[in-house]
Amino acid sequence: MRVLVAGGAGYIGSHVVLALQQVGHQVIVLDNLQTGHREAVENVPFVLGDIADETLLIRLVSEYKIEAAVHLAAESTVGLSMQDPGLFFKHNTGKGAVFLDTLVKSGVKILVFSSSAAVYGSPINMPICETHRLNPVNVYGATKIMFEEMMRWYEQVYGLRWIALRYFNAAGAAVGHGIGEDHNPETHLIPIILQTVLGKRQKVNIFGNDYSTPDGTCIRDYIHVSDLSRAHVLAMDALSAGEAGGIYNLGNGQGFSVQEVVKVCERVTGQKIAAEIAPRRQGDPPILVASADRIKSDLGWTAEHPELEGIVTSAWKWHRSHPWGYSKPVLKDERK
Ligand code: UDP
């Protein structure tokens, strides 16, 4: 299929582009490069632009004969969403609505949307099923719910076929493909730890050790970005085969505390990591672990890299070979 990937130059987006291409889909990337990297999608038709540029979208759909879309073009820094909610409502909800409406009215009625575990807020039951109550504790999570709701209405009114994938913690890199995680500023745990190993930071701040978890630090469910990306392919294929859409969690169903992640990183890198207890970060739920049973049974998804050690190893290969991310030349070849 000819698939438009909005936000395809980002960390997850570039891995989704790769996964789609690997099974023969023709991909066109639309990205404003505010946080994405042109180098992450070097061999793909690329359009620099805004998801709310209706004229551009209409032209793209007709020029490239787009049949389906993946939407990953969102503001995603959780902390920022609590400092500047308007930015998130304007971009994720407002521009998202224009994007959805324009696509559907141009005849594109298959959409895979990157949603988030942030829709659940601080969950009551663990592991979290898709039927769990929604109770976001940050604006980012709220905007993800809003877009899911919009798709539901567009299904009813226009026959949109859609799948929302609620990501848990994406990590790792597609080793050997020259793509990986490069955020500025970086806020995610694993890259921050690995940057510390590389001497780019002095220490890792562990945000709180007084949570109600065995070691007091927050527990998360880390999923390899390539496994997450393959789920987009399965979703796309299911929708194009006429199967029912809906909402799917994407995680490994296994939780690791911040302290445990630090230990795994020490094992993988063979280095002692300087870590210090810091105050809690606002809006962090103590535990987030997915039940991915629904996507396993409906779409046949399974993780190829379920072990945290393997996930960190792939991330480490990326960071070691690209210590400055995309902005500077690669130091040495990635080891496959
Ligand atoms: N975390 C931390 N120090 C950091 C970054 C993150 O202790 O410098 C913790 C954070 O509080 C959370 C976990 O690591 O419990 C994962 O955070 P991340 O930002 O990677 O993903 P999130 O769970 O927010 O999506």
Side-chain angles (χ1 to χ4, degrees), residues 178 318 320-326 328-334:
W318 158 257
R320 214 174 26 173
S321 56
H322 297 75
W324 296 280
Y326 289 102
K328 292 264 173 68
V330 177
L331 271 191
K332 54 188 168 191
D333 286 345
E334 285 173 86

Side-chain angles (χ1 to χ4, degrees), residues 225-240:
V225 66
S226 298
D227 284 334
L228 186 111
S229 298
R230 269 189 311 102
H232 294 70
V233 176
L234 295 173
M236 192 57 76
D237 293 348
L239 291 172
S240 71

Side-chain angles (χ1 to χ4, degrees), residues 78 168-169 187-192 201 204-208 211 217-220 222 258 281 284-286 288:
V78 173
F168 282 64
N169 289 61
T187 61
H188 296 109
L189 180 62
I190 291 175
I192 282 179
R201 294 170 188 265
V204 179
N205 288 313
I206 295 179
F207 296 146
Y211 287 96
T217 65
C218 287
I219 292 176
R220 294 289 180 274
Y222 295 88
V258 176
R281 187 172 69 177
D284 264 344
L288 286 175

Side-chain angles (χ1 to χ4, degrees), residues 14-15 18 22 39-40 42-43 173-180 226 318 322 326 334 336:
S14 57
H15 286 81
L18 175 66
Q22 282 174 332
E39 300 90 332
E42 255 163 1
N43 304 314
V175 174
H177 292 277
I179 54 176
S226 298
W318 158 257
H322 297 75
Y326 289 102
E334 285 173 86
K336 293 194 183 178

Side-chain angles (χ1 to χ4, degrees), residues 31-243:
D31 202 296
N32 64 6
L33 293 185
Q34 228 168 302
T35 54
H37 305 275
R38 183 67 185 89
E39 300 90 332
V41 280
E42 255 163 1
N43 304 314
V44 189
F46 177 85
V47 180
L48 179 68
D50 195 288
I51 56 163
D53 184 340
E54 292 167 80
T55 315
L56 173 66
L57 278 177
I58 291 165
R59 182 170 66 72
L60 286 183
V61 170
S62 108
E63 205 171 293
Y64 290 99
K65 302 188 172 49
I66 302 292
E67 297 161 285
V70 183
H71 177 27
L72 309 109
E75 292 288 343
S76 65
T77 311
V78 173
L80 182 61
S81 80
M82 298 302 284
Q83 288 158 16
D84 189 358
L87 176 71
F88 281 66
F89 289 124
K90 276 189 248 177
H91 186 96
N92 297 4
T93 314
K95 288 190 176 192
V98 176
F99 178 71
L100 175 63
D101 193 63
T102 312
L103 277 189
V104 169
K105 288 180 178 162
S106 307
V108 179
K109 296 201 176 171
I110 293 180
L111 182 60
V112 177
F113 173 61
S114 94
S115 189
S116 167
V119 299
Y120 300 112
S122 288
I124 311 161
N125 304 312
M126 213 59 66
I128 306 165
C129 297
E130 291 83 352
T131 49
H132 194 285
R133 69 150 199 207
L134 303 181
N135 186 26
V137 294
N138 51 57
V139 173
Y140 169 70
T143 63
K144 291 292 178 186
I145 296 175
M146 288 173 182
F147 198 90
E148 288 182 359
E149 274 303 303
M150 287 195 274
M151 290 192 295
R152 215 185 290 281
W153 287 109
Y154 273 67
E155 175 180 358
Q156 196 170 316
V157 177
Y158 297 109
L160 175 73
R161 315 246 308 293
W162 60 277
I163 284 178
L165 298 172
R166 291 179 177 164
Y167 308 157
F168 282 64
N169 289 61
V175 174
H177 292 277
I179 54 176
E181 191 160 10
D182 179 6
H183 296 113
N184 188 17
E186 187 54 76
T187 61
H188 296 109
L189 180 62
I190 291 175
I192 282 179
I193 296 174
L194 298 178
Q195 287 174 355
T196 309
V197 178
L198 287 168
K200 297 183 71 201
R201 294 170 188 265
Q202 289 194 317
K203 59 179 166 58
V204 179
N205 288 313
I206 295 179
F207 296 146
N209 68 345
D210 56 352
Y211 287 96
S212 51
T213 60
D215 67 16
T217 65
C218 287
I219 292 176
R220 294 289 180 274
D221 182 344
Y222 295 88
I223 173 169
H224 195 293
V225 66
S226 298
D227 284 334
L228 186 111
S229 298
R230 269 189 311 102
H232 294 70
V233 176
L234 295 173
M236 192 57 76
D237 293 348
L239 291 172
S240 71
E243 287 170 33

